[in-house]
Amino acid sequence: MKYILSLDQGTTSSRSIVFDRESSIKCYSQKEYKQIFPKSGWVEHDPLEIWESQIETAVEALRSGQLTAAEIAAIGITNQRETAIVWDKNTGDPIYNAIVWQDRRTARFCDEIRRDHAQSIKEKTGLEVDAYFSASKINWLLENVDGARKKAENGEILFGTVDSWLVWKLTSGEKYITDVSNASRTMLFNINSLKWDEELLELFKIPRKILPDVRTSSEVYGEVTAVKELNGIKIAGIAGDQQAALFGQLCTEPGLSKNTYGTGCFLLQNIGTEPILSKNRMLTTIAWQIGDRCEYALEGSVFIGGAVVQWLRDSLGIIENSGDVEKLANSVKDNGGVYFVPAFAGLGAPHWDQNARGMIIGLTRGTGKAHIARAAVESIAFQVADLLDAMQRDSGVELKELRVDGGASRNENLLQFQADILGISVARSAVTETTALGAAYLAGLAVGFWKNREDLTKNSSSDRKFRPKMPTEQRKMLRETWRRAIERALDWET
């Protein structure tokens, strides 16, 4: 058995990647699937399409690498987090589409919960009360799908984040589980006791019997029985996508941090084995559990990161392809005084303002599309810098280097500006697929494919380091102007 297969189920596509012992990619397959927008602010996926696209890529990856199931030591699963799926226990059919983490339909309900319960929920879960997390989505499904409430009380339906759905399907319904990292994103899981919290279940009116068993992030859960080409392979690692990326970047010591530049941006810092409750509106989340050792992370989320480039392409039409943004942005020497706050879906940490809205400010007669493109790219780095400031105030760790990955990390000018605006080095991973790699590491450790964490560090390397070049005074001026722009975008949608 020479390889590990990672199933990387993301927000816009499903991917399957096969890694060898040196952490190199042997073969790869990816398939996009449909995004469903029934109403403004609503985002859904078809759970069956998630399943079918994931399995199609897994089979295709093995086929393209001319591999058989016998050559795969284990499967690791990583997934879009918070997205809620509820399905019939007997038929296996979803009762409704998956409600995606980006969905805002329960924002008003969360506002009501927040008024009286914000502090107690934060103390139990490490999370801010927000429609982002699973709890309010499950409540909505039980209240709005015909017969769902009664079926839930009778134990006839099951809830799962995407990992639970995939494992249940892969094992022909035999294994109904999740891991601690995904459970900690539901707003129903007590990160201190590592158990579902009965008071939160009562608050959100969710029966305990519809929730999966919670397991560690690295153990043999079962084996595939539902897909001929994969049957017999052990399923041995599970982690939410951002926690998997933290592990894939080998941020396994307190203080080590990574940022993933994807549709959104997700900054995580390992804080060790004791949870730190943020005083700066960051999230405390479970990073992973291996054996009896549970480790935690501080997390900050930027809702619109790389998606701002898609907006320039699809809505504004000033670029034809996402890759064109770097050349356009670099055609001007600076942003020309233009600042772009991409609060299309509100603002995440450290603001947590559901009513913030997008804004481009500082326009003059001399402003051109290149200035707007540059301001859009810079907005990604500014938002990450705000997260890191808040995180450092919470942890007391003064970071000297930020490890980065994700699609937008290919934009070298973005990474140079990120280093400049932070005043620290930014190290880009040599392996761009760190989310899938983290899931592979967790699965590989469980089956002895890799012996220990030290075994993994032999494969670790950065592709390039970006060091700050900007004068301190210029950095301060840019960040102060960004802060003023943010203030104008807050609480717009009253």
Side-chain angles (χ1 to χ4, degrees):
M1 294 186 182
K2 302 176 181 178
Y3 305 102
I4 298 287
L5 170 61
S6 276
L7 306 184
D8 183 357
Q9 206 299 301
T11 307
T12 58
S13 68
S14 296
R15 298 186 295 174
S16 294
I17 303 175
V18 176
F19 292 95
D20 63 19
R21 290 186 195 277
E22 287 70 47
S23 306
S24 298
I25 293 175
K26 165 71 173 176
C27 43
Y28 173 102
S29 179
Q30 178 172 356
K31 184 177 182 180
E32 292 188 2
Y33 59 92
K34 187 178 179 182
Q35 306 294 302
I36 303 167
F37 307 103
K39 296 181 182 179
S40 176
W42 292 29
V43 189
E44 298 177 0
H45 295 154
D46 179 347
L48 293 175
E49 191 177 4
I50 287 176
W51 160 250
E52 289 160 4
S53 62
Q54 188 65 74
I55 295 312
E56 186 176 323
T57 62
V59 172
E60 175 56 32
L62 264 60
R63 185 181 296 124
S64 67
Q66 297 182 315
L67 302 175
T68 65
E71 295 174 271
I72 305 298
I75 287 174
I77 295 174
T78 183
N79 55 284
Q80 55 167 313
R81 305 172 303 171
E82 299 96 18
T83 295
I85 302 174
V86 175
W87 66 95
D88 188 290
K89 184 178 181 178
N90 298 311
T91 67
D93 294 331
I95 68 167
Y96 189 83
N97 281 335
I99 301 182
V100 180
W101 59 273
Q102 298 163 318
D103 190 281
R104 308 305 297 169
R105 78 186 67 184
T106 59
R108 185 171 295 178
F109 174 71
C110 288
D111 287 341
E112 295 170 2
I113 294 287
R114 186 184 303 110
R115 277 196 289 270
D116 296 325
H117 303 284
Q119 187 58 33
S120 64
I121 288 176
K122 181 152 187 135
E123 289 171 359
K124 290 170 179 284
T125 69
L127 307 177
E128 296 282 333
V129 178
D130 195 87
Y132 179 26
F133 305 107
S134 311
S136 64
K137 304 178 196 299
I138 305 169
N139 175 277
W140 187 93
L141 287 164
L142 298 185
E143 296 295 337
N144 290 276
V145 176
D146 286 345
R149 171 65 64 189
K150 185 176 181 180
K151 287 184 176 180
E153 291 168 353
N154 293 336
E156 297 172 7
I157 57 177
L158 305 174
F159 154 76
T161 42
V162 172
D163 58 304
S164 297
W165 170 241
L166 292 178
V167 172
W168 194 85
K169 295 286 283 182
L170 285 164
T171 61
S172 307
E174 182 184 345
K175 299 296 180 181
Y176 179 43
I177 61 170
T178 188
D179 91 298
V180 289
S181 73
N182 279 292
S184 75
R185 308 300 295 189
T186 60
M187 213 158 66
L188 298 171
F189 190 71
N190 191 311
I191 64 172
N192 305 291
S193 66
L194 304 184
K195 295 179 180 179
W196 297 116
D197 191 278
E198 294 297 336
E199 291 180 356
L200 294 179
L201 293 176
E202 185 176 346
L203 177 63
F204 287 96
K205 300 178 182 177
I206 297 169
R208 167 65 183 87
K209 61 184 70 173
I210 74 165
L211 300 177
D213 291 336
V214 183
R215 307 281 282 273
T216 71
S217 309
S218 180
E219 63 175 279
V220 177
Y221 313 107
E223 64 180 45
V224 180
T225 58
V227 183
K228 181 178 67 174
E229 295 88 345
L230 308 178
N231 282 353
I233 303 177
K234 295 174 181 177
I235 305 168
I238 299 174
D241 52 9
Q242 300 312 318
Q243 291 99 321
L246 189 70
F247 200 78
Q249 286 272 28
L250 295 178
C251 295
T252 55
E253 299 294 332
L256 295 179
S257 307
K258 73 89 196 174
N259 185 63
T260 297
Y261 299 89
T263 303
C265 291
F266 298 89
L267 178 65
L268 275 75
Q269 181 176 107
N270 186 319
I271 55 173
T273 56
E274 295 294 329
I276 297 171
L277 281 187
S278 172
K279 297 178 181 177
N280 296 281
R281 307 200 72 186
M282 305 298 284
L283 306 177
T284 306
T285 195
I286 294 176
W288 49 74
Q289 183 182 357
I290 300 175
D292 294 331
R293 182 181 174 88
C294 185
E295 296 180 51
Y296 297 84
L298 285 173
E299 175 175 336
S301 305
V302 170
F303 293 157
I304 301 295
V308 73
V309 177
Q310 296 171 327
W311 185 83
L312 294 178
R313 180 193 66 195
D314 300 338
S315 297
L316 213 56
I318 65 173
I319 54 174
E320 289 188 12
N321 301 296
S322 295
D324 298 338
V325 73
E326 188 168 10
K327 182 178 179 181
L328 179 60
N330 294 339
S331 67
V332 289
K333 63 182 174 63
D334 55 38
N335 63 18
V338 177
Y339 287 78
F340 190 151
V341 181
F344 303 148
L347 287 170
H351 312 287
W352 290 107
D353 186 344
Q354 299 184 105
N355 297 317
R357 288 297 177 266
M359 180 186 69
I360 303 174
I361 196 167
L363 303 177
T364 68
R365 285 290 297 272
T367 300
K369 62 183 181 181
H371 295 104
I372 294 173
R374 189 175 184 109
V377 172
E378 290 181 353
S379 76
I380 302 172
F382 280 126
Q383 291 178 95
V384 171
D386 288 347
L387 293 181
L388 193 58
D389 282 354
M391 191 171 283
Q392 290 185 153
R393 288 195 297 271
D394 280 329
S395 68
V397 175
E398 187 173 341
L399 214 62
K400 292 181 171 59
E401 177 182 277
L402 179 64
R403 301 178 184 182
V404 301
D405 54 66
S409 68
R410 292 190 291 268
N411 186 328
E412 299 200 341
N413 289 88
L414 166 62
L415 296 190
Q416 182 58 56
F417 186 74
Q418 186 73 81
D420 286 340
I421 214 71
L422 290 174
I424 62 173
S425 294
V426 171
R428 182 172 61 190
S429 173
V431 178
T432 57
E433 303 294 345
T434 55
T435 301
L437 181 59
Y441 282 162
L442 291 167
L445 288 170
V447 297
F449 188 80
W450 291 290
K451 293 179 183 178
N452 49 44
R453 296 189 193 188
E454 290 70 30
D455 211 12
L456 304 179
T457 59
K458 300 172 187 175
N459 303 333
S460 176
S461 62
S462 56
D463 167 51
R464 183 178 168 188
K465 282 194 178 183
F466 299 81
R467 293 179 171 82
K469 301 176 182 177
M470 183 180 288
T472 301
E473 288 307 311
Q474 184 182 359
R475 179 188 311 129
K476 288 180 178 177
M477 181 273 291
L478 290 173
R479 293 204 61 187
E480 172 59 22
T481 312
W482 166 257
R483 184 190 62 77
R484 289 167 54 211
I486 284 282
E487 287 178 351
R488 284 160 172 77
L490 293 174
D491 199 31
W492 184 264
E493 186 74 13
T494 55

